[in-house]
Amino acid sequence: MKNIFLVFLAVTSFLGCGNNVQYNDPIPEHESFTLDSKKVNETRVITVWTPPSYKTGKDSFPVLYMPDGGIKEDFPHIANTLAKLIEENSIPPFILVGIENTDRHRDLSGPSEVKEDEQYCPLTDGASDFRSFITEELFSEINNKYRTTDKKGIIGESLSGLFVVETFLQKPESFDFYIAMDPSLWWNDNYLVKNADTFLKNLPSNQTKLWFAGSSVEDIAQHTIKLSETLKNNAPAQLKWKYSNEPNEQHNTIFRATKEKALVWTLND
């Protein structure tokens, strides 16, 4: 690899999704609360956006979860995009739940046997604990505090995209749909892609959706393209998937460039 990623991670240590451009997104109306987690042994800040019809009715809504979901991270622009698409009737209303980062390199990466990877993220399986926090602690907290349906999904880019794809392949029952932009599938000698055909055999019988995209960055695109080829050959019938090849986008532009079409394709039945 991986000099390009050394630059990315150095530049983006304090940014939500590997984006070295600063945006002044309007902060939407939202609620925040803290959750003491035994799974990650931290108090985590959770930010929630509800669609306009939430306050005016009694309906329950599906939920979109987002790592890199702090107010100073990617929460505002995704919440504003959901609001726009809902107003245009391009998607049904969803609740957005953002998880603010404390140490994203630890939380979003699984184990690695590649010593070189240690310069980017810990080699230990922090993603497993973070996933348990979401599925065993945060899900129930959100369901208790808000009117939710059983339908839920997750969206992420870069390391968050890696977490999304890892969850899809290794714990596919966690969510009904998955969105990953420029996932860092090079991690652990592209272990997830190498073993994707085996993981796909364990998908649950209910329909699952996966949308993912790759930018012009060769060290990412070669693996997202390979994953799409594996899916063409081995995707089970209950998986509905779409790969968006984005050679004109860079790592720091692909999230915003593709978010609307990703949400429209994924959030509609």
Side-chain angles (χ1 to χ4, degrees), residues 196-201 203 226-239 241:
D197 54 347
T198 300
F199 290 130
L200 289 170
K201 297 175 183 178
L203 282 185
K226 178 62 176 177
L227 179 58
S228 72
E229 293 170 350
T230 298
L231 289 168
K232 286 178 184 177
N233 295 324
N234 297 298
Q238 70 270 29
L239 174 63
W241 67 277

Side-chain angles (χ1 to χ4, degrees), residues 182-198:
D182 242 18
S184 301
L185 296 176
W186 52 267
W187 178 256
N188 193 22
D189 193 25
N190 50 283
Y191 171 82
L192 292 175
V193 177
K194 286 180 176 179
N195 293 278
D197 54 347
T198 300

Side-chain angles (χ1 to χ4, degrees), residues 171-232:
K171 297 289 184 179
E173 71 282 358
S174 301
F175 297 93
D176 300 292
F177 58 91
Y178 297 82
I179 302 173
M181 288 84 163
D182 242 18
S184 301
L185 296 176
W186 52 267
W187 178 256
N188 193 22
D189 193 25
N190 50 283
Y191 171 82
L192 292 175
V193 177
K194 286 180 176 179
N195 293 278
D197 54 347
T198 300
F199 290 130
L200 289 170
K201 297 175 183 178
N202 298 319
L203 282 185
S205 58
N206 58 294
Q207 187 185 84
T208 305
K209 298 181 77 173
L210 169 68
W211 189 102
F212 64 111
S215 72
S216 61
V217 178
E218 182 179 357
D219 284 328
I220 291 179
Q222 62 178 310
H223 303 306
T224 55
I225 291 171
K226 178 62 176 177
L227 179 58
S228 72
E229 293 170 350
T230 298
L231 289 168
K232 286 178 184 177

Side-chain angles (χ1 to χ4, degrees), residues 45-107:
V45 176
I46 308 300
T47 307
V48 181
W49 176 87
T50 55
S53 55
Y54 186 91
K55 293 182 178 180
T56 60
K58 296 183 178 180
D59 291 341
S60 297
F61 297 89
V63 183
L64 177 61
Y65 288 84
M66 185 174 61
D68 295 323
I71 286 297
K72 295 183 179 180
E73 298 168 320
D74 286 305
F75 182 88
H77 83 84
I78 294 299
N80 292 333
T81 300
L82 287 174
K84 171 180 176 291
L85 294 174
I86 292 168
E87 184 178 9
E88 296 171 347
N89 293 316
S90 297
I91 60 171
F94 269 73
I95 295 171
L96 178 66
V97 175
I99 307 165
E100 184 175 307
N101 282 310
T102 56
D103 184 345
R104 71 190 300 271
H105 297 167
R106 175 201 63 200
D107 287 345

